[in-house]
Amino acid sequence: MSYASYPPAMRRLVNELTKLPTIGEKSAVRLAYHLLSHDPSQALELSEAIKEARLIVRECERCFGLSEEPLCEICCDQARTRSIVCVVEKPADLIAIERSMGYRGLFHVLHGLWSPLRGVNPEKTRIRELFDRIERTHADSDSSERIEEIVLATGTTVEGDATALYIANSVKHFPVRISRIAQGLPKGGELEYADEMTLSHALEGRRRM
Amino acid sequence: MSYASYPPAMRRLVNELTKLPTIGEKSAVRLAYHLLSHDPSQALELSEAIKEARLIVRECERCFGLSEEPLCEICCDQARTRSIVCVVEKPADLIAIERSMGYRGLFHVLHGLWSPLRGVNPEKTRIRELFDRIERTHADSDSSERIEEIVLATGTTVEGDATALYIANSVKHFPVRISRIAQGLPKGGELEYADEMTLSHALEGRRRM
């Protein structure tokens, strides 16, 4: 008989860690060993932080960004332009746009993209809620809340493009402007190293100076 | 004013995750988002598994392998050869040797290697406890527990070699055989692709057939 395994509680921890994205068994063992062999308070604080975040953080009822309140800070901020809604795939994209300081409107977080190859249809995302949201603000007599522009800021991948197109087609019957974030050379980009698709989009989207 | 950040509970979780080895901020955000957006029970089970493992798993009082009891299963197993102790750096190495099914003696887990460059001196590992353990079994009249051979199975890195040499020199005054795991070609290895150090060790360690 051989004891080719860790104690049960460590095995359970390794097993839970491997359920996380990008964590394989070797990484899980390394992380578990780190948690067991360093300062005990570090492991207990991580345990507590996971539980607390899971119990407290929810999706904003309007934009589906992450929030600890029914409505997130952005949706509550009356100083923002409320007639324009930027549609993103996930909370990290919203944060990236906020950090760019180039946008002062509201958001809508889809929590996914239309991806037939991975079996994700639009109904599994918050696309339906976006349509409802537009409809609601147009039915409402309060014009300050009326959505007049939708900026489709999903990634420029096949899935991001497909989702943007799907949304654009679906909201055509509303009197809203639809725009797509620009594609082109990244800041500091050299033409020599840009791929053909990026260059072709950069030329196509050229603007008068 | 911009809200370029996640809700406080998510920030705390991201912060705790970045304390883990190999987890940078982008990975931490991805892991935290996964935990918050999937099945809630998955996050709560991970939280519980961390806490439980941290509270239950300890080091075996004799070999310092991971255990849920004061003495681990290997140290308690009277069917194993108790006169031979294999010295390894970390629990994962012990598990690797057990899985090889090629060893039936006891272990000693150092939990670190002598690494002057990283400021780890031998006293920060369980090396002192190894010397005490050898001394104790030799002072003891019970000959069945007497350690007669130490197999130095630290890795064949600079630090693994230095630690093995340090231990070998320090236990010279005990009547114990000291051996080092063999270095050579890995199983299935082609000479053409072996590095020079490996080949030189493989030739030096050649055995009569």
Side-chain angles (χ1 to χ4, degrees):
Chain A
M1 180 184 166
S2 150
Y3 302 99
S5 67
Y6 295 99
M10 166 122 174
R11 285 209 303 273
R12 185 183 157 205
L13 174 54
V14 168
N15 181 42
E16 291 299 329
L17 286 168
T18 53
K19 292 180 188 167
L20 296 174
T22 75
I23 309 283
E25 201 189 325
K26 290 223 168 186
S27 302
V29 166
R30 205 170 303 126
L31 294 176
Y33 178 55
H34 176 92
L35 287 168
L36 295 181
S37 60
H38 285 69
D39 179 10
S41 69
Q42 193 189 327
L44 298 178
E45 273 160 25
L46 174 60
S47 163
E48 202 44 50
I50 293 171
K51 193 163 86 181
E52 189 196 69
R54 184 67 244 195
L55 297 177
I56 292 181
V57 181
R58 54 172 117 181
E59 292 177 3
C60 166
E61 288 173 4
R62 186 174 296 161
C63 77
F64 303 95
L66 298 178
S67 175
E68 295 186 3
E69 306 296 331
L71 284 180
C72 74
E73 287 184 311
I74 294 176
C75 284
C76 290
D77 182 357
Q78 293 297 330
R80 296 181 78 113
T81 310
R82 307 184 73 77
S83 59
I84 173 166
V85 170
C86 177
V87 178
V88 295
E89 178 195 347
K90 54 188 188 294
D93 301 336
L94 181 158
I95 299 290
I97 290 175
E98 282 295 274
R99 288 200 177 141
S100 78
M101 313 282 270
Y103 180 71
R104 297 288 298 135
L106 303 181
F107 285 95
H108 192 90
V109 183
L110 297 175
H111 291 282
L113 294 175
W114 179 28
S115 173
L117 283 176
R118 286 190 286 160
V120 182
N121 60 46
E123 302 307 310
K124 280 203 183 164
T125 71
R126 296 295 190 181
I127 285 184
R128 163 64 38 208
E129 286 83 352
L130 172 65
F131 303 156
D132 292 347
R133 190 175 163 191
I134 300 170
E135 193 159 13
R136 210 163 49 237
T137 69
H138 281 266
D140 206 337
S141 55
D142 179 4
S143 65
S144 73
E145 291 287 324
R146 189 167 297 159
I147 297 173
E148 282 160 8
E149 182 173 352
I150 301 285
V151 182
L152 297 168
T154 51
T156 57
T157 57
V158 173
E159 284 142 4
D161 281 338
T163 306
L165 199 63
Y166 177 87
I167 294 173
N169 283 331
S170 307
V171 301
K172 266 197 296 215
H173 58 289
F174 289 112
V176 288
R177 278 192 305 282
I178 310 286
S179 58
R180 180 87 172 98
I181 47 158
Q183 291 194 46
L185 277 188
K187 184 76 191 168
E190 301 224 40
L191 266 79
E192 188 181 351
Y193 302 119
D195 65 283
E196 294 96 26
M197 287 291 279
T198 298
L199 266 186
S200 128
H201 280 295
L203 288 167
E204 199 179 299
R206 68 191 180 278
R207 294 168 63 177
R208 266 203 127 100
M209 287 183 66
Chain B
M1 182 183 166
S2 150
Y3 303 98
S5 65
Y6 295 100
M10 166 122 175
R11 285 210 302 275
R12 185 182 158 206
L13 173 54
V14 168
N15 181 41
E16 290 299 328
L17 286 168
T18 53
K19 292 180 187 166
L20 296 175
T22 74
I23 308 283
E25 201 189 324
K26 289 224 168 183
S27 303
V29 166
R30 206 169 304 126
L31 293 176
Y33 178 54
H34 177 91
L35 287 169
L36 296 181
S37 60
H38 285 71
D39 180 10
S41 70
Q42 192 189 328
L44 298 178
E45 273 159 25
L46 173 60
S47 163
E48 203 45 50
I50 292 171
K51 193 164 85 182
E52 189 196 68
R54 185 66 243 195
L55 297 177
I56 291 181
V57 180
R58 54 171 116 180
E59 291 177 5
C60 166
E61 288 173 5
R62 186 174 295 163
C63 78
F64 302 95
L66 299 177
S67 175
E68 295 186 3
E69 306 296 331
L71 285 180
C72 74
E73 287 183 313
I74 294 176
C75 284
C76 289
D77 183 357
Q78 294 298 328
R80 296 181 78 112
T81 311
R82 306 184 72 75
S83 60
I84 174 165
V85 170
C86 177
V87 178
V88 294
E89 178 196 347
K90 54 188 188 293
D93 301 336
L94 182 158
I95 298 290
I97 290 176
E98 281 290 284
R99 289 199 177 143
S100 78
M101 313 281 271
Y103 180 72
R104 296 288 299 135
L106 303 182
F107 285 94
H108 191 91
V109 182
L110 298 174
H111 291 283
L113 293 175
W114 179 27
S115 173
L117 283 177
R118 285 190 286 161
V120 182
N121 61 46
E123 303 308 310
K124 280 204 183 165
T125 70
R126 296 295 190 181
I127 284 184
R128 164 63 39 207
E129 287 82 353
L130 172 65
F131 302 156
D132 292 347
R133 189 173 164 192
I134 300 170
E135 194 160 12
R136 210 164 47 237
T137 68
H138 280 265
D140 206 338
S141 56
D142 178 4
S143 66
S144 74
E145 290 288 325
R146 189 167 295 158
I147 296 173
E148 283 161 6
E149 182 173 354
I150 301 285
V151 183
L152 298 167
T154 51
T156 56
T157 58
V158 173
E159 285 143 4
D161 281 339
T163 307
L165 199 62
Y166 178 86
I167 294 174
N169 283 332
S170 307
V171 301
K172 267 197 293 215
H173 58 288
F174 290 111
V176 288
R177 278 192 305 283
I178 310 286
S179 58
R180 181 87 172 98
I181 47 157
Q183 290 193 46
L185 278 188
K187 184 76 191 168
E190 302 225 39
L191 266 79
E192 188 181 350
Y193 302 118
D195 65 283
E196 293 97 25
M197 288 292 280
T198 298
L199 264 187
S200 129
H201 281 294
L203 287 167
E204 200 179 296
R206 67 191 180 279
R207 295 168 63 176
R208 265 204 127 98
M209 288 184 63

